[in-house]
Amino acid sequence: MSRHNRFRALDKDLGRIGQAEVAQMHAFRPVWRLGLGVLAVVGALLMGMALSGAAPGLLAVGAGLVVAAWLGMAIGANDVANSLGPAVGAGAVGMVPGLVMVALAGIAGAVLAGGAVSERLASGIVELGPLTSGPRAPMAMVAALIGAVVWITLATGIGLPVSTSHSIVGGIAGAGAVAFGLGAVTWGTLAMIAVVWVATPLVAGSLAGALLVLLRLKVVEAPDRIAAALRWLPPLVGLMVGLFSAYLIVLVDRRIDLPPLVALALLPGVAGVLLTRRTVRQEAARHPARPGIKPLLRPALLIAVVMLGFAHGANDVGNVAGPLSVVLRGQGLVPAMGVVPVTVLLGGGLAIAAGTLLFGRRLVHMVGSGITRLNAGRAFCVSLATAVTVLGASALGLPVSTTHVAVGGVFGVGFAREWLDRRRDRRSDALPAAEARRRILVRRSHVATITVAWLVTVPITGSLGALACLLVLWAAGV
């Protein structure tokens, strides 16, 4: 292999990300058309509210449910490829079982771990404490949902990939500023969320890069790959399963003591070890000389996909459940301030799962095809690092973009792979100046795309949320 081609892994992976975004836009068209219909329905509801003098609270609930349902389906359709594409492309799971698996994992994540982000979006961006008795709080959240949906629909129509989390944060801030004044917006929280948007891709990149270095040095490049795989992969998978099981147990019962927690988490961890050892031995029997990495990593990749689906549901359900809980609270359907009921989280999770099952197949097929997928090893590193990072953000109640975090993982894996190649053959370090400049430009363009996406989205959705709030308050006569 030429020295010029050996260090192009990151550029190729970034190119695949770009191709996946193009495929995502085409596959998202049915949901986009449905979004136009939703906006038409909401417009009709607002017009009816203005002309008929109907109770604004009931119409707000109707408009909020319609917009939130579409937003949930859009999230499920749009982001399923991040979770499932690598596993389908690597042959770890079939399309239909994979869609069902990710949908169920997303529902579980929404119900068990979605409360923190939902509560942050419901009451952490705009101070609603003394203002919940009037109709302005639910109206502001309806306007925030409308602003986010308008921007997502417009951006999709012009081929610009945007984050749902960024959109809803901007929409809530803009609508809240109009409804309650600029002083009601918690600018410190917005600043913290913005810092997290920058930090999480870096964290995911560091984790993914470290994991790739471990796999390359200990398994892929080992003289005896079978022995190395038996030594390293079963404990790795067992640790993944055990820690994730412990996390789930704590979510179910936060008062559990450490000894029973360890005992309960140990059982699935041991099962993961045994399953991986069986997979490695089966692959060794088929290819005793040099087994392929893809079949060896199938159990690990499958578990990482489940974790990423769970993390996706835990973080993104807040985009639906947070604002919707405030809308429902305005009619006394949600009792407590700052607490998002499990039923609302479940509804948001079901909407996301519906989008995954109804609209996800085409997108997963495109992204999981040989054109756009990462190979199994890099896909595993990126998926696991993204899942861990998003779960950490969810535990802190911070909404993040799963796609942007995954791109950070791609960068980390690419840089780690190039470092390993240079470490193996330092004579390949020297590159022509034109080639080095081209790579800098390619990578800088992806960093710029991510940065511009969230820098532009928040002001635009804030403006749209503010405009929608003015319209909603006028229609309600508030």
Side-chain angles (χ1 to χ4, degrees):
M1 185 182 297
S2 72
R3 66 178 183 175
H4 295 274
N5 290 331
R6 285 180 56 190
F7 300 132
R8 289 190 174 181
L10 176 53
D11 294 347
K12 290 179 180 178
D13 287 349
L14 292 175
R16 292 184 177 106
I17 292 291
Q19 292 169 339
E21 289 173 348
V22 174
Q24 187 170 337
M25 292 302 162
H26 289 289
F28 194 65
R29 291 294 173 177
V31 189
W32 174 73
R33 289 191 289 268
L34 183 60
L36 294 177
V38 166
L39 291 175
V41 170
V42 171
L45 285 174
L46 294 178
M47 186 60 65
M49 182 190 302
L51 296 178
S52 66
L58 293 177
L59 288 176
V61 170
L65 288 173
V66 170
V67 177
W70 179 86
L71 190 61
M73 288 194 293
I75 292 169
N78 207 26
D79 288 347
V80 62
N82 291 328
S83 303
L84 189 56
V88 170
V93 66
M95 176 68 73
V96 175
L99 288 172
V100 173
M101 178 184 70
V102 170
L104 293 176
I107 294 173
V111 173
L112 295 176
V117 175
S118 299
E119 290 163 14
R120 175 86 65 179
L121 291 173
S123 58
I125 295 177
V126 177
E127 291 286 351
L128 298 179
L131 304 165
T132 52
S133 58
R136 281 183 170 259
M139 294 299 173
M141 287 301 177
V142 170
L145 288 168
I146 293 173
V149 169
V150 168
W151 173 236
I152 293 169
T153 304
L154 290 176
T156 303
I158 63 177
L160 178 65
V162 295
S163 166
T164 307
S165 298
H166 299 179
S167 300
I168 199 66
V169 167
I172 292 174
V178 167
F180 309 117
L182 290 173
V185 180
T186 55
W187 300 105
T189 299
L190 285 178
M192 177 180 62
I193 291 174
V195 170
V196 169
W197 288 344
V198 176
T200 46
L202 299 177
V203 172
S206 301
L207 291 175
L211 188 57
L212 182 82
V213 170
L214 175 66
L215 289 177
R216 279 280 296 269
L217 294 181
K218 299 301 183 180
V219 179
V220 177
E221 296 178 356
D224 188 345
R225 183 176 288 180
I226 296 174
L230 285 172
R231 184 182 306 115
W232 287 96
L233 293 184
L236 176 62
V237 174
L239 183 63
M240 287 171 54
V241 175
L243 291 177
F244 186 56
S245 299
Y247 171 70
L248 295 179
I249 294 168
V250 170
L251 288 176
V252 174
D253 183 5
R254 298 182 183 274
R255 295 174 297 178
I256 189 171
D257 294 328
L258 184 60
L261 174 63
V262 173
L264 291 173
L266 188 62
L267 295 176
V270 171
V273 170
L274 297 177
L275 174 63
T276 307
R277 289 183 66 87
R278 178 184 176 187
T279 301
V280 172
R281 289 197 175 105
Q282 289 175 343
E283 180 61 17
R286 286 192 292 265
H287 303 283
R290 193 71 171 171
I293 291 297
K294 181 166 69 174
L296 292 178
L297 285 176
R298 278 175 182 166
L301 180 56
L302 195 61
I303 294 166
V305 166
V306 173
M307 291 176 61
L308 185 51
F310 184 95
H312 175 237
N315 201 273
D316 278 2
V317 73
N319 300 326
V320 178
L324 186 60
S325 66
V326 178
V327 175
L328 297 176
R329 189 182 304 127
Q331 291 299 301
L333 301 175
V334 173
M337 173 64 192
V339 177
V340 179
V342 173
T343 52
V344 179
L345 295 174
L346 177 60
L350 290 173
I352 294 173
T356 296
L357 295 173
L358 294 175
F359 302 106
R361 182 185 184 96
R362 184 181 177 190
L363 180 56
V364 171
H365 177 73
M366 288 181 176
V367 176
S369 68
I371 297 175
T372 59
R373 74 167 183 262
L374 308 176
N375 70 26
R378 298 203 293 276
F380 166 68
C381 296
V382 172
S383 296
L384 182 58
T386 303
V388 171
T389 304
V390 174
L391 283 174
S394 301
L396 297 174
L398 299 170
V400 296
S401 169
T402 307
T403 300
H404 291 179
V405 174
V407 171
V410 170
F411 267 97
V413 162
F415 285 133
R417 184 176 179 182
E418 293 187 1
W419 176 80
L420 287 169
D421 286 340
R422 288 191 177 95
R423 179 176 177 270
R424 184 174 57 187
D425 186 0
R426 295 185 181 276
R427 291 176 302 174
S428 297
D429 284 346
L431 287 174
E435 174 65 12
R437 186 165 54 253
R438 182 195 69 81
R439 295 180 187 188
I440 291 173
L441 292 175
V442 167
R443 297 165 190 187
R444 186 179 297 166
S445 69
H446 283 80
V447 174
T449 299
I450 295 173
T451 304
V452 169
W454 70 263
L455 283 176
V456 170
T457 293
V458 172
I460 290 180
T461 53
S463 301
L464 290 172
L467 182 62
C469 190
L470 290 172
L471 177 62
V472 170
L473 292 177
W474 167 79
V478 176

